[in-house]
Amino acid sequence: QMNIDYSICQALNYQSQGICSSILAYDVACQWQTNFLKQVQEGAYLQVPDGMDIVAAVGKFHLSAHKLECYPQFSLNFMEGAGHMDGKILETLWAPLS
């Protein structure tokens, strides 16, 4: 948990001036997002840009294995700005290397 929180904070802070909203697609975002901001407040090395709205999402492949109540809140299909994103770009890029 600590490593993913650190990685996300680093990504959110990298050249993010002027960005007011970020969609974070993560396989277990429905569980992860519950304590993320609390972890940031308590963590000495964790920081989120001031005023940035973080929208948690579960990628389309993983969402089908989640509880039904996760679908309306965490589906990329219903998020403004998500387009046709599936939340699996890294795995798609790594596939030829496997």
Side-chain angles (χ1 to χ4, degrees), residues 3-64:
N3 290 336
I4 197 74
D5 290 348
Y6 179 80
S7 298
I8 286 174
C9 285
Q10 292 299 305
L12 290 173
N13 282 291
Y14 182 74
Q15 296 187 355
S16 61
Q17 298 81 7
I19 297 175
C20 58
S21 181
S22 179
I23 297 174
L24 284 167
Y26 179 35
D27 301 349
V28 291
C30 54
Q31 296 295 313
W32 164 82
Q33 59 93 32
T34 5
N35 292 314
F36 174 65
L37 293 178
K38 180 182 172 209
Q39 296 292 96
V40 169
Q41 290 174 344
E42 296 174 357
Y45 302 102
L46 302 177
Q47 183 179 359
V48 172
D50 289 334
M52 181 178 280
D53 182 31
I54 300 169
V55 181
V58 176
K60 292 181 182 184
F61 177 79
H62 291 278
L63 191 59
S64 63

Short mmCIF file of all heavy atoms in Angstrom, two decimals, residues 3-64:
data_model
loop_
_atom_site.label_atom_id
_atom_site.label_comp_id
_atom_site.label_asym_id
_atom_site.label_seq_id
_atom_site.Cartn_x
_atom_site.Cartn_y
_atom_site.Cartn_z
N ASN A 3 3.88 1.70 -1.10
CA ASN A 3 4.57 1.93 -2.37
C ASN A 3 3.64 2.50 -3.44
O ASN A 3 4.05 3.37 -4.20
CB ASN A 3 5.20 0.63 -2.87
CG ASN A 3 6.36 0.19 -2.01
OD1 ASN A 3 6.98 1.00 -1.33
ND2 ASN A 3 6.65 -1.09 -2.01
N ILE A 4 2.42 2.01 -3.50
CA ILE A 4 1.50 2.53 -4.51
C ILE A 4 1.12 3.97 -4.18
O ILE A 4 1.01 4.81 -5.07
CB ILE A 4 0.25 1.62 -4.68
CG1 ILE A 4 -0.47 1.94 -5.99
CG2 ILE A 4 -0.71 1.75 -3.54
CD1 ILE A 4 0.20 1.46 -7.21
N ASP A 5 0.93 4.28 -2.90
CA ASP A 5 0.62 5.66 -2.51
C ASP A 5 1.76 6.60 -2.90
O ASP A 5 1.54 7.68 -3.45
CB ASP A 5 0.36 5.76 -1.01
CG ASP A 5 -0.94 5.09 -0.58
OD1 ASP A 5 -1.75 4.74 -1.46
OD2 ASP A 5 -1.13 4.91 0.63
N TYR A 6 2.99 6.17 -2.64
CA TYR A 6 4.16 6.98 -2.99
C TYR A 6 4.25 7.18 -4.50
O TYR A 6 4.45 8.30 -4.98
CB TYR A 6 5.44 6.33 -2.46
CG TYR A 6 6.68 7.11 -2.79
CD1 TYR A 6 7.04 8.23 -2.03
CD2 TYR A 6 7.49 6.76 -3.86
CE1 TYR A 6 8.17 8.97 -2.34
CE2 TYR A 6 8.62 7.49 -4.18
CZ TYR A 6 8.96 8.59 -3.41
OH TYR A 6 10.08 9.32 -3.74
N SER A 7 4.07 6.12 -5.25
CA SER A 7 4.15 6.19 -6.71
C SER A 7 3.08 7.12 -7.29
O SER A 7 3.36 7.92 -8.19
CB SER A 7 4.01 4.80 -7.33
OG SER A 7 5.05 3.97 -6.91
N ILE A 8 1.88 7.02 -6.77
CA ILE A 8 0.79 7.87 -7.25
C ILE A 8 1.06 9.33 -6.92
O ILE A 8 0.87 10.21 -7.77
CB ILE A 8 -0.56 7.38 -6.71
CG1 ILE A 8 -0.94 6.10 -7.45
CG2 ILE A 8 -1.64 8.44 -6.85
CD1 ILE A 8 -2.16 5.40 -6.97
N CYS A 9 1.54 9.60 -5.72
CA CYS A 9 1.86 10.98 -5.35
C CYS A 9 2.96 11.55 -6.26
O CYS A 9 2.87 12.69 -6.69
CB CYS A 9 2.29 11.06 -3.89
SG CYS A 9 0.92 10.91 -2.74
N GLN A 10 3.96 10.75 -6.55
CA GLN A 10 5.04 11.21 -7.43
C GLN A 10 4.50 11.52 -8.83
O GLN A 10 4.84 12.53 -9.43
CB GLN A 10 6.15 10.16 -7.52
CG GLN A 10 6.92 9.97 -6.23
CD GLN A 10 7.62 11.25 -5.81
OE1 GLN A 10 8.39 11.83 -6.56
NE2 GLN A 10 7.33 11.71 -4.61
N ALA A 11 3.64 10.63 -9.34
CA ALA A 11 3.06 10.85 -10.68
C ALA A 11 2.17 12.09 -10.70
O ALA A 11 2.22 12.87 -11.66
CB ALA A 11 2.27 9.61 -11.10
N LEU A 12 1.37 12.28 -9.66
CA LEU A 12 0.47 13.43 -9.62
C LEU A 12 1.24 14.75 -9.53
O LEU A 12 0.76 15.78 -10.01
CB LEU A 12 -0.49 13.33 -8.43
CG LEU A 12 -1.56 12.25 -8.52
CD1 LEU A 12 -2.33 12.15 -7.21
CD2 LEU A 12 -2.51 12.49 -9.68
N ASN A 13 2.40 14.73 -8.93
CA ASN A 13 3.19 15.95 -8.76
C ASN A 13 4.12 16.25 -9.94
O ASN A 13 4.66 17.34 -10.04
CB ASN A 13 3.99 15.88 -7.46
CG ASN A 13 3.14 16.15 -6.26
OD1 ASN A 13 2.69 17.26 -6.05
ND2 ASN A 13 2.87 15.12 -5.48
N TYR A 14 4.30 15.29 -10.84
CA TYR A 14 5.23 15.48 -11.95
C TYR A 14 4.59 16.35 -13.03
O TYR A 14 3.61 15.96 -13.66
CB TYR A 14 5.64 14.13 -12.53
CG TYR A 14 6.62 14.23 -13.65
CD1 TYR A 14 7.95 14.55 -13.39
CD2 TYR A 14 6.24 14.05 -14.96
CE1 TYR A 14 8.88 14.66 -14.41
CE2 TYR A 14 7.15 14.15 -16.00
CZ TYR A 14 8.47 14.47 -15.71
OH TYR A 14 9.38 14.58 -16.73
N GLN A 15 5.12 17.52 -13.23
CA GLN A 15 4.66 18.47 -14.24
C GLN A 15 3.13 18.61 -14.26
O GLN A 15 2.50 18.53 -15.31
CB GLN A 15 5.17 18.05 -15.62
CG GLN A 15 6.68 18.10 -15.70
CD GLN A 15 7.21 17.87 -17.10
OE1 GLN A 15 6.46 17.57 -18.02
NE2 GLN A 15 8.51 17.99 -17.24
N SER A 16 2.57 18.83 -13.09
CA SER A 16 1.11 18.88 -12.99
C SER A 16 0.56 20.29 -12.79
O SER A 16 -0.61 20.45 -12.50
CB SER A 16 0.65 17.99 -11.83
OG SER A 16 1.19 18.45 -10.61
N GLN A 17 1.40 21.30 -12.97
CA GLN A 17 0.92 22.67 -12.82
C GLN A 17 -0.24 22.91 -13.79
O GLN A 17 -0.15 22.60 -14.97
CB GLN A 17 2.04 23.69 -13.10
CG GLN A 17 3.21 23.61 -12.16
CD GLN A 17 4.20 22.50 -12.53
OE1 GLN A 17 4.09 21.86 -13.57
NE2 GLN A 17 5.17 22.27 -11.66
N GLY A 18 -1.32 23.46 -13.28
CA GLY A 18 -2.47 23.77 -14.12
C GLY A 18 -3.45 22.63 -14.31
O GLY A 18 -4.50 22.81 -14.90
N ILE A 19 -3.11 21.45 -13.83
CA ILE A 19 -4.02 20.31 -13.95
C ILE A 19 -4.87 20.27 -12.68
O ILE A 19 -4.35 20.17 -11.58
CB ILE A 19 -3.26 18.99 -14.14
CG1 ILE A 19 -2.47 19.03 -15.45
CG2 ILE A 19 -4.22 17.80 -14.11
CD1 ILE A 19 -1.58 17.83 -15.68
N CYS A 20 -6.18 20.35 -12.85
CA CYS A 20 -7.04 20.43 -11.67
C CYS A 20 -7.75 19.11 -11.36
O CYS A 20 -8.35 18.96 -10.31
CB CYS A 20 -8.06 21.56 -11.82
SG CYS A 20 -9.08 21.38 -13.28
N SER A 21 -7.68 18.15 -12.28
CA SER A 21 -8.37 16.88 -12.07
C SER A 21 -7.57 15.74 -12.68
O SER A 21 -6.95 15.91 -13.72
CB SER A 21 -9.76 16.94 -12.71
OG SER A 21 -10.46 15.75 -12.49
N SER A 22 -7.60 14.59 -12.01
CA SER A 22 -6.86 13.44 -12.50
C SER A 22 -7.69 12.17 -12.30
O SER A 22 -8.23 11.95 -11.22
CB SER A 22 -5.54 13.31 -11.74
OG SER A 22 -4.83 12.19 -12.17
N ILE A 23 -7.79 11.35 -13.34
CA ILE A 23 -8.46 10.06 -13.23
C ILE A 23 -7.39 9.02 -12.95
O ILE A 23 -6.44 8.88 -13.71
CB ILE A 23 -9.22 9.70 -14.52
CG1 ILE A 23 -10.34 10.69 -14.78
CG2 ILE A 23 -9.77 8.27 -14.43
CD1 ILE A 23 -11.05 10.49 -16.10
N LEU A 24 -7.54 8.31 -11.85
CA LEU A 24 -6.60 7.26 -11.48
C LEU A 24 -7.26 5.90 -11.66
O LEU A 24 -8.15 5.53 -10.90
CB LEU A 24 -6.17 7.41 -10.02
CG LEU A 24 -5.18 8.52 -9.77
CD1 LEU A 24 -5.05 8.80 -8.29
CD2 LEU A 24 -3.83 8.15 -10.34
N ALA A 25 -6.84 5.18 -12.67
CA ALA A 25 -7.38 3.84 -12.92
C ALA A 25 -6.46 2.83 -12.26
O ALA A 25 -5.27 2.76 -12.56
CB ALA A 25 -7.48 3.57 -14.42
N TYR A 26 -7.00 2.08 -11.33
CA TYR A 26 -6.24 1.12 -10.54
C TYR A 26 -7.15 -0.08 -10.29
O TYR A 26 -8.34 0.09 -10.03
CB TYR A 26 -5.81 1.81 -9.23
CG TYR A 26 -5.03 0.99 -8.23
CD1 TYR A 26 -4.13 0.03 -8.63
CD2 TYR A 26 -5.20 1.21 -6.88
CE1 TYR A 26 -3.41 -0.70 -7.70
CE2 TYR A 26 -4.47 0.49 -5.94
CZ TYR A 26 -3.59 -0.47 -6.36
OH TYR A 26 -2.88 -1.19 -5.43
N ASP A 27 -6.60 -1.27 -10.37
CA ASP A 27 -7.39 -2.50 -10.28
C ASP A 27 -8.30 -2.57 -9.05
O ASP A 27 -9.37 -3.15 -9.11
CB ASP A 27 -6.47 -3.73 -10.28
CG ASP A 27 -5.61 -3.81 -11.53
OD1 ASP A 27 -5.86 -3.05 -12.48
OD2 ASP A 27 -4.68 -4.63 -11.55
N VAL A 28 -7.85 -2.01 -7.95
CA VAL A 28 -8.62 -2.05 -6.70
C VAL A 28 -8.88 -0.64 -6.17
O VAL A 28 -8.88 -0.40 -4.97
CB VAL A 28 -7.94 -2.93 -5.64
CG1 VAL A 28 -7.97 -4.39 -6.02
CG2 VAL A 28 -6.51 -2.48 -5.40
N ALA A 29 -9.11 0.30 -7.07
CA ALA A 29 -9.32 1.70 -6.68
C ALA A 29 -10.49 1.87 -5.72
O ALA A 29 -10.47 2.76 -4.88
CB ALA A 29 -9.53 2.57 -7.91
N CYS A 30 -11.48 1.02 -5.83
CA CYS A 30 -12.65 1.13 -4.95
C CYS A 30 -12.25 0.96 -3.48
O CYS A 30 -12.83 1.58 -2.60
CB CYS A 30 -13.72 0.13 -5.34
SG CYS A 30 -13.15 -1.57 -5.42
N GLN A 31 -11.26 0.13 -3.22
CA GLN A 31 -10.77 -0.07 -1.85
C GLN A 31 -9.66 0.92 -1.52
O GLN A 31 -9.61 1.47 -0.43
CB GLN A 31 -10.24 -1.50 -1.68
CG GLN A 31 -11.30 -2.55 -1.83
CD GLN A 31 -12.34 -2.46 -0.73
OE1 GLN A 31 -12.01 -2.35 0.44
NE2 GLN A 31 -13.61 -2.48 -1.11
N TRP A 32 -8.76 1.13 -2.47
CA TRP A 32 -7.58 1.97 -2.25
C TRP A 32 -7.96 3.41 -1.90
O TRP A 32 -7.40 4.00 -0.99
CB TRP A 32 -6.70 1.93 -3.50
CG TRP A 32 -5.71 3.01 -3.56
CD1 TRP A 32 -4.49 3.04 -2.93
CD2 TRP A 32 -5.84 4.26 -4.24
NE1 TRP A 32 -3.86 4.23 -3.19
CE2 TRP A 32 -4.67 4.99 -4.00
CE3 TRP A 32 -6.82 4.83 -5.04
CZ2 TRP A 32 -4.46 6.25 -4.53
CZ3 TRP A 32 -6.61 6.08 -5.56
CH2 TRP A 32 -5.44 6.78 -5.30
N GLN A 33 -8.92 3.99 -2.63
CA GLN A 33 -9.24 5.40 -2.47
C GLN A 33 -9.84 5.75 -1.11
O GLN A 33 -9.80 6.88 -0.69
CB GLN A 33 -10.15 5.89 -3.60
CG GLN A 33 -11.47 5.15 -3.71
CD GLN A 33 -12.59 5.80 -2.96
OE1 GLN A 33 -12.64 7.00 -2.82
NE2 GLN A 33 -13.50 4.99 -2.46
N THR A 34 -10.36 4.77 -0.39
CA THR A 34 -10.99 5.06 0.90
C THR A 34 -10.04 5.72 1.89
O THR A 34 -10.45 6.61 2.62
CB THR A 34 -11.54 3.78 1.57
OG1 THR A 34 -11.21 2.65 0.84
CG2 THR A 34 -13.00 3.85 1.80
N ASN A 35 -8.80 5.29 1.92
CA ASN A 35 -7.84 5.82 2.90
C ASN A 35 -6.70 6.60 2.29
O ASN A 35 -5.79 7.02 3.01
CB ASN A 35 -7.27 4.67 3.75
CG ASN A 35 -8.32 4.07 4.65
OD1 ASN A 35 -9.06 4.77 5.30
ND2 ASN A 35 -8.38 2.75 4.65
N PHE A 36 -6.72 6.81 0.98
CA PHE A 36 -5.58 7.45 0.32
C PHE A 36 -5.27 8.83 0.89
O PHE A 36 -4.13 9.11 1.27
CB PHE A 36 -5.79 7.52 -1.19
CG PHE A 36 -4.73 8.29 -1.91
CD1 PHE A 36 -3.42 7.82 -1.94
CD2 PHE A 36 -5.01 9.49 -2.54
CE1 PHE A 36 -2.42 8.52 -2.60
CE2 PHE A 36 -4.02 10.20 -3.20
CZ PHE A 36 -2.73 9.71 -3.22
N LEU A 37 -6.24 9.71 0.95
CA LEU A 37 -5.97 11.08 1.42
C LEU A 37 -5.55 11.10 2.89
O LEU A 37 -4.72 11.92 3.29
CB LEU A 37 -7.17 11.98 1.17
CG LEU A 37 -7.45 12.25 -0.31
CD1 LEU A 37 -8.69 13.11 -0.48
CD2 LEU A 37 -6.25 12.89 -1.00
N LYS A 38 -6.07 10.19 3.68
CA LYS A 38 -5.64 10.07 5.08
C LYS A 38 -4.17 9.66 5.13
O LYS A 38 -3.39 10.19 5.92
CB LYS A 38 -6.51 9.05 5.81
CG LYS A 38 -6.14 8.85 7.26
CD LYS A 38 -7.02 7.79 7.89
CE LYS A 38 -6.48 7.48 9.27
NZ LYS A 38 -6.75 6.12 9.68
N GLN A 39 -3.80 8.70 4.29
CA GLN A 39 -2.40 8.24 4.23
C GLN A 39 -1.49 9.39 3.81
O GLN A 39 -0.38 9.54 4.32
CB GLN A 39 -2.25 7.09 3.25
CG GLN A 39 -2.99 5.83 3.64
CD GLN A 39 -2.40 5.18 4.87
OE1 GLN A 39 -2.86 5.39 5.98
NE2 GLN A 39 -1.36 4.41 4.67
N VAL A 40 -1.95 10.21 2.86
CA VAL A 40 -1.16 11.36 2.40
C VAL A 40 -0.94 12.35 3.55
O VAL A 40 0.16 12.84 3.75
CB VAL A 40 -1.85 12.05 1.19
CG1 VAL A 40 -1.20 13.39 0.88
CG2 VAL A 40 -1.82 11.14 -0.03
N GLN A 41 -1.99 12.62 4.30
CA GLN A 41 -1.87 13.56 5.42
C GLN A 41 -0.91 13.05 6.49
O GLN A 41 -0.19 13.83 7.11
CB GLN A 41 -3.24 13.82 6.05
CG GLN A 41 -4.15 14.62 5.16
CD GLN A 41 -5.56 14.74 5.74
OE1 GLN A 41 -5.95 14.02 6.65
NE2 GLN A 41 -6.33 15.67 5.19
N GLU A 42 -0.90 11.74 6.71
CA GLU A 42 -0.05 11.16 7.75
C GLU A 42 1.35 10.81 7.27
O GLU A 42 2.24 10.58 8.08
CB GLU A 42 -0.72 9.90 8.32
CG GLU A 42 -2.02 10.20 9.03
CD GLU A 42 -2.77 8.96 9.48
OE1 GLU A 42 -2.30 7.83 9.19
OE2 GLU A 42 -3.84 9.10 10.09
N GLY A 43 1.55 10.75 5.97
CA GLY A 43 2.85 10.34 5.41
C GLY A 43 3.81 11.51 5.25
O GLY A 43 3.45 12.55 4.69
N ALA A 44 5.02 11.32 5.72
CA ALA A 44 6.04 12.38 5.63
C ALA A 44 6.47 12.65 4.19
O ALA A 44 6.90 13.76 3.87
CB ALA A 44 7.24 11.99 6.48
N TYR A 45 6.39 11.66 3.33
CA TYR A 45 6.89 11.80 1.96
C TYR A 45 5.78 11.79 0.91
O TYR A 45 6.04 11.63 -0.27
CB TYR A 45 7.89 10.68 1.65
CG TYR A 45 9.04 10.69 2.61
CD1 TYR A 45 9.10 9.79 3.66
CD2 TYR A 45 10.07 11.62 2.48
CE1 TYR A 45 10.17 9.80 4.56
CE2 TYR A 45 11.13 11.65 3.36
CZ TYR A 45 11.17 10.74 4.41
OH TYR A 45 12.21 10.76 5.29
N LEU A 46 4.54 11.94 1.36
CA LEU A 46 3.40 11.91 0.44
C LEU A 46 2.79 13.30 0.33
O LEU A 46 2.57 13.96 1.33
CB LEU A 46 2.35 10.92 0.94
CG LEU A 46 2.80 9.48 1.13
CD1 LEU A 46 1.66 8.64 1.69
CD2 LEU A 46 3.32 8.88 -0.16
N GLN A 47 2.51 13.70 -0.92
CA GLN A 47 1.91 15.01 -1.16
C GLN A 47 1.13 14.98 -2.47
O GLN A 47 1.59 14.43 -3.46
CB GLN A 47 2.99 16.09 -1.23
CG GLN A 47 2.43 17.48 -1.39
CD GLN A 47 3.55 18.52 -1.43
OE1 GLN A 47 4.73 18.20 -1.32
NE2 GLN A 47 3.16 19.76 -1.59
N VAL A 48 -0.06 15.56 -2.43
CA VAL A 48 -0.89 15.69 -3.62
C VAL A 48 -0.95 17.18 -3.94
O VAL A 48 -1.03 18.00 -3.03
CB VAL A 48 -2.32 15.14 -3.33
CG1 VAL A 48 -3.26 15.43 -4.47
CG2 VAL A 48 -2.25 13.65 -3.06
N PRO A 49 -0.90 17.56 -5.22
CA PRO A 49 -0.99 18.98 -5.57
C PRO A 49 -2.23 19.63 -4.98
O PRO A 49 -3.32 19.05 -5.01
CB PRO A 49 -1.04 18.97 -7.10
CG PRO A 49 -0.40 17.68 -7.50
CD PRO A 49 -0.75 16.72 -6.41
N ASP A 50 -2.07 20.84 -4.45
CA ASP A 50 -3.19 21.58 -3.85
C ASP A 50 -4.31 21.77 -4.87
O ASP A 50 -4.07 22.16 -6.01
CB ASP A 50 -2.72 22.94 -3.35
CG ASP A 50 -1.85 22.85 -2.12
OD1 ASP A 50 -1.99 21.84 -1.38
OD2 ASP A 50 -1.02 23.75 -1.90
N GLY A 51 -5.52 21.47 -4.43
CA GLY A 51 -6.69 21.70 -5.26
C GLY A 51 -6.94 20.67 -6.34
O GLY A 51 -7.91 20.80 -7.09
N MET A 52 -6.10 19.65 -6.45
CA MET A 52 -6.32 18.64 -7.49
C MET A 52 -7.42 17.67 -7.05
O MET A 52 -7.39 17.12 -5.96
CB MET A 52 -5.05 17.85 -7.80
CG MET A 52 -5.27 16.82 -8.90
SD MET A 52 -3.80 15.90 -9.34
CE MET A 52 -2.98 17.09 -10.39
N ASP A 53 -8.39 17.48 -7.93
CA ASP A 53 -9.48 16.54 -7.70
C ASP A 53 -9.03 15.19 -8.24
O ASP A 53 -8.68 15.07 -9.42
CB ASP A 53 -10.74 17.03 -8.42
CG ASP A 53 -11.93 16.13 -8.19
OD1 ASP A 53 -12.02 15.51 -7.11
OD2 ASP A 53 -12.79 16.06 -9.09
N ILE A 54 -9.04 14.17 -7.39
CA ILE A 54 -8.62 12.83 -7.80
C ILE A 54 -9.86 11.96 -7.94
O ILE A 54 -10.63 11.79 -6.99
CB ILE A 54 -7.65 12.22 -6.77
CG1 ILE A 54 -6.42 13.11 -6.65
CG2 ILE A 54 -7.27 10.80 -7.16
CD1 ILE A 54 -5.53 12.76 -5.48
N VAL A 55 -10.05 11.43 -9.14
CA VAL A 55 -11.20 10.57 -9.43
C VAL A 55 -10.68 9.15 -9.57
O VAL A 55 -9.91 8.85 -10.48
CB VAL A 55 -11.92 11.02 -10.73
CG1 VAL A 55 -13.10 10.13 -11.00
CG2 VAL A 55 -12.33 12.48 -10.63
N ALA A 56 -11.10 8.27 -8.65
CA ALA A 56 -10.65 6.88 -8.68
C ALA A 56 -11.52 6.07 -9.64
O ALA A 56 -12.74 6.24 -9.68
CB ALA A 56 -10.72 6.29 -7.28
N ALA A 57 -10.88 5.20 -10.41
CA ALA A 57 -11.59 4.35 -11.36
C ALA A 57 -10.98 2.95 -11.34
O ALA A 57 -9.82 2.77 -10.98
CB ALA A 57 -11.47 4.92 -12.77
N VAL A 58 -11.79 1.98 -11.73
CA VAL A 58 -11.30 0.60 -11.88
C VAL A 58 -11.31 0.31 -13.37
O VAL A 58 -12.30 0.57 -14.06
CB VAL A 58 -12.19 -0.40 -11.12
CG1 VAL A 58 -11.74 -1.83 -11.37
CG2 VAL A 58 -12.18 -0.11 -9.62
N GLY A 59 -10.20 -0.22 -13.88
CA GLY A 59 -10.11 -0.55 -15.30
C GLY A 59 -11.20 -1.52 -15.73
O GLY A 59 -11.71 -2.31 -14.94
N LYS A 60 -11.56 -1.45 -17.00
CA LYS A 60 -12.68 -2.23 -17.52
C LYS A 60 -12.50 -3.73 -17.35
O LYS A 60 -13.45 -4.44 -17.05
CB LYS A 60 -12.92 -1.87 -18.98
CG LYS A 60 -13.42 -0.46 -19.15
CD LYS A 60 -13.68 -0.10 -20.59
CE LYS A 60 -14.14 1.35 -20.68
NZ LYS A 60 -14.48 1.71 -22.03
N PHE A 61 -11.29 -4.22 -17.50
CA PHE A 61 -11.05 -5.66 -17.37
C PHE A 61 -11.33 -6.12 -15.94
O PHE A 61 -11.96 -7.15 -15.72
CB PHE A 61 -9.60 -5.98 -17.77
CG PHE A 61 -9.25 -7.43 -17.58
CD1 PHE A 61 -9.64 -8.37 -18.52
CD2 PHE A 61 -8.51 -7.84 -16.48
CE1 PHE A 61 -9.32 -9.71 -18.35
CE2 PHE A 61 -8.18 -9.17 -16.31
CZ PHE A 61 -8.58 -10.12 -17.24
N HIS A 62 -10.86 -5.37 -14.97
CA HIS A 62 -11.00 -5.77 -13.57
C HIS A 62 -12.37 -5.47 -12.98
O HIS A 62 -12.81 -6.14 -12.05
CB HIS A 62 -9.91 -5.11 -12.71
CG HIS A 62 -8.56 -5.65 -13.00
ND1 HIS A 62 -8.10 -6.82 -12.45
CD2 HIS A 62 -7.58 -5.20 -13.81
CE1 HIS A 62 -6.89 -7.07 -12.89
NE2 HIS A 62 -6.54 -6.10 -13.73
N LEU A 63 -13.06 -4.48 -13.51
CA LEU A 63 -14.35 -4.08 -12.95
C LEU A 63 -15.37 -5.21 -13.02
O LEU A 63 -16.22 -5.34 -12.14
CB LEU A 63 -14.87 -2.83 -13.67
CG LEU A 63 -16.07 -2.15 -13.02
CD1 LEU A 63 -15.75 -1.70 -11.59
CD2 LEU A 63 -16.50 -0.96 -13.85
N SER A 64 -15.28 -6.05 -14.03
CA SER A 64 -16.24 -7.15 -14.16
C SER A 64 -16.14 -8.16 -13.03
O SER A 64 -17.08 -8.90 -12.77
CB SER A 64 -16.06 -7.85 -15.51
OG SER A 64 -14.77 -8.43 -15.58
#
